[in-house]
Amino acid sequence: MTTADAGWPLDETDDEPRGPVGKAFRLSAADSLSLGNALCGFLAVCVLAWSAIRALQEGKPFEADPRFFGTAVVLLLIGATCDLFDGLVARKFRASAMGAELDNLADVISFGFAPAFMVVIWAGFNPATPFPLVMVAAASVLLAGVIRLARFACVKTKSGDFMGLPIPMGAMTVVSIVLLFPPSKLAVVPILGVAYLMVSRIEYPKPKGNLAAVVLAWMMINVACLTIWAAGLSGGDSLIKVGAVMQISIVAAIPLRVLMFKRAKRKERKEAERVG
């Protein structure tokens, strides 16, 4: 045996990870919430797919059933609640070595793929909307979400806020558009706008303290409204429309507020330079 042959097994062993590797496979409480988020996204896709499969089995033309959409949206809201709490739990208790990766992977399923699939189910079977346009809108939601999450893992803002529209809020805005408007070429445009906001450099405030409590309360109210709407109870249609309009308004108002704030700051700097 040559010297190189004798050393080869040792070289292979040296490439293996060292240290307490077993700890990387231990799930924390926060990881359980991330997995719950991923499961909710998967179930939402299954519910939407089943609505189309059932129509095909019955030989009927597919029409989006509000009950299936309502169930899928409730699942996504539950996933968003898990996503809101997993960070809080990780900071309060123990975070595992793979917590951040699990969180991002779960977000891709629940807030990237699931709303993109919802767009396809919403408009893909409607002759008034060209299928290629529907696919472009759906793909833009998915790809913008993936880019948003990758950038979040690599780039930290000086203010500590989010750069670009957070993917859970982007997903809920896409859902609001789907619930509020019938499928059409015009209705696809705001979906593309949401995708742009997710990859933009506009800073969105991070929910902390009282703001986090407000966000959680908002999610719970939305779940209640969606449940009333999906059950066909009186006033459900009005509640879902009000909630969708408020969601879209909030997402649209924040960039305008940021732009106005930056414009005022530039004006103050110019005035200070003129006086100086």
Side-chain angles (χ1 to χ4, degrees):
M1 181 180 293
T2 65
T3 305
D5 292 336
W8 174 74
L10 295 177
D11 293 339
E12 184 181 43
T13 305
D14 289 343
D15 289 337
E16 293 180 357
R18 298 178 178 178
V21 180
K23 290 185 178 179
F25 297 96
R26 297 176 186 171
L27 294 176
S28 66
D31 294 338
S32 299
L33 289 171
S34 296
L35 292 174
N37 177 18
L39 181 61
C40 286
F42 170 71
L43 292 176
V45 171
C46 289
V47 167
L48 293 170
W50 173 244
S51 66
I53 292 170
R54 195 181 68 164
L56 291 173
Q57 288 177 337
E58 295 174 354
K60 299 178 180 178
F62 174 75
E63 292 183 5
D65 191 327
R67 293 175 300 170
F68 288 102
F69 270 83
T71 303
V73 176
V74 168
L75 285 167
L76 292 183
L77 283 169
I78 294 172
T81 305
C82 291
D83 183 61
L84 177 65
F85 274 106
D86 64 3
L88 298 174
V89 172
R91 286 189 292 270
K92 187 73 174 177
F93 302 100
R94 179 179 60 87
S96 73
M98 55 182 177
E101 285 72 16
L102 275 178
D103 186 27
N104 282 344
L105 290 170
D107 286 352
V108 168
I109 297 171
S110 293
F111 310 128
F113 180 69
F117 189 74
M118 183 177 286
V119 170
V120 175
I121 295 296
W122 166 65
F125 295 87
N126 192 301
T129 312
F131 189 72
L133 179 62
V134 176
M135 291 304 296
V136 167
S140 69
V141 172
L142 175 62
L143 296 178
V146 171
I147 293 170
R148 171 71 184 77
L149 289 169
R151 189 173 66 184
F152 173 73
C154 300
V155 180
K156 303 299 180 184
T157 61
K158 294 180 180 179
S159 62
D161 292 332
F162 294 116
M163 182 184 292
L165 179 66
I167 187 171
M169 187 176 287
M172 291 302 109
T173 308
V174 170
V175 167
S176 297
I177 294 168
V178 168
L179 294 178
L180 192 60
F181 302 106
S184 66
K185 295 178 182 178
L186 190 60
V188 171
V189 175
I191 292 176
L192 297 172
V194 173
Y196 166 75
L197 288 176
M198 282 196 282
V199 296
S200 71
R201 296 189 177 184
I202 298 172
E203 293 187 6
Y204 284 77
K206 185 175 291 187
K208 301 175 183 176
N210 292 335
L211 183 58
V214 170
V215 171
L216 178 61
W218 172 246
M219 289 179 180
M220 295 299 100
I221 292 171
N222 278 341
V223 169
C225 292
L226 281 163
T227 304
I228 293 171
W229 171 71
L233 299 178
S234 177
D237 289 340
S238 299
L239 285 174
I240 198 65
K241 288 178 181 178
V242 170
V245 168
M246 288 180 66
Q247 174 67 28
I248 296 170
S249 300
I250 290 170
V251 170
I254 291 176
L256 293 175
R257 178 68 184 90
V258 170
L259 291 174
M260 291 174 62
F261 178 76
K262 289 184 176 180
R263 184 178 179 182
K265 283 291 184 182
R266 285 197 298 268
K267 187 176 180 181
E268 288 177 5
R269 281 200 303 268
K270 288 181 180 179
E271 290 179 355
E273 289 173 359
R274 193 180 299 116
V275 172

